[in-house]
Amino acid sequence: MKVYTKTGDTGTTALFGGTRVPKDHIRIDSYGTVDELNSYIGLIRDQEMEDHYKTMLIEIQDRLFTVGAILATPPEKEVMKNGTLRLQNLGIVAADITLLENEIDTMEEALPPMTHFVLPGGHSTVSYCHIARCVCRRAERLAVHLSHNETVPPIAIMYLNRLSDYLFVLARKLSFDLKATEVKWIPRK
């Protein structure tokens, strides 16, 4: 199988199930941003950190492939000709969100309470987490935008929302672990 197909040379691409749409379609922008997020999470995972975080990040990357598949599938193509759901065994489930929440709670137990907003930075690994968080928020906004016109399973949006929270807390926890300075944002008076 060749990487290049030439079928997108005119500015269209195929969704899951074969429907062709312009490359600037909100659905493409939505799952493309999830793909961008997945790449940034790979960058975070390549940094020096505890194995537990790396294992979690692999799990998250796997789930993001699922979110991308969900977003790449138009509602009319969710059911195959034989009547089975295309993403039947692939979906995001409540346990995926609970896992993120449990991880957030565990990390927060080891951190000092937040008293101010925090400026992104302090260490390159922490900065990568903040970039991923911002990309995650954009992916969430695009998925919400898509949901105004087409069906998007609410749990996919919930997962992106919780993942951005996870990435924020991971940034704080890695700051703590790396003994990086966490700079508080204190507004001018």
Side-chain angles (χ1 to χ4, degrees):
M1 181 175 157
K2 290 188 176 190
V3 170
Y4 60 90
T5 62
K6 301 183 184 181
T7 58
D9 290 352
T10 59
T12 65
T13 192
L15 297 172
F16 199 57
T19 303
R20 294 202 70 81
V21 296
K23 288 187 176 187
D24 63 352
H25 189 280
I26 183 64
R27 191 172 283 284
I28 305 304
D29 205 11
S30 186
Y31 76 74
T33 303
V34 169
D35 187 36
E36 180 184 355
L37 170 60
N38 209 335
S39 296
Y40 275 112
I41 290 177
L43 181 61
I44 297 167
R45 187 170 52 85
D46 288 342
Q47 307 306 303
E48 291 296 321
M49 65 182 69
E50 290 180 25
D51 286 343
H52 175 74
Y53 301 133
K54 290 182 182 230
T55 300
M56 269 302 297
L57 292 170
I58 289 172
E59 172 67 20
I60 288 166
Q61 287 185 293
D62 182 77
R63 299 294 79 214
L64 287 175
F65 261 88
T66 300
V67 171
I70 289 167
L71 295 173
T73 305
E76 69 274 8
K77 299 292 184 176
E78 287 177 355
V79 178
M80 296 180 354
K81 290 179 183 174
N82 68 4
T84 59
L85 286 172
R86 287 185 186 275
L87 304 173
Q88 191 168 19
N89 297 316
L90 208 66
I92 299 293
V93 296
D96 297 319
I97 294 169
T98 301
L99 175 62
L100 292 175
E101 291 171 347
N102 290 340
E103 289 294 316
I104 290 168
D105 293 344
T106 298
M107 287 187 290
E108 283 190 323
E109 287 174 6
L111 295 172
M114 255 185 71
T115 57
H116 294 80
F117 286 108
V118 178
L119 298 180
H123 189 281
S124 57
T125 304
V126 173
S127 295
Y128 294 145
C129 288
H130 283 292
I131 291 168
R133 174 186 54 80
C134 292
V135 174
C136 189
R137 286 285 189 210
R138 180 165 28 100
E140 179 187 8
R141 289 190 305 269
L142 289 166
V144 168
H145 181 89
L146 176 62
S147 76
H148 293 306
N149 302 309
E150 299 186 39
T151 303
V152 174
I155 199 160
I157 294 169
M158 289 171 57
Y159 186 81
L160 291 170
N161 182 278
R162 207 68 79 253
L163 178 56
S164 64
D165 296 334
Y166 171 84
L167 291 167
F168 176 75
V169 176
L170 180 62
R172 289 198 70 223
K173 182 65 167 78
L174 290 174
S175 284
F176 182 82
D177 292 351
L178 296 164
K179 297 176 180 32
T181 302
E182 195 172 68
V183 179
K184 296 175 183 176
W185 177 64
I186 302 173
R188 288 187 218 171
K189 295 183 182 188

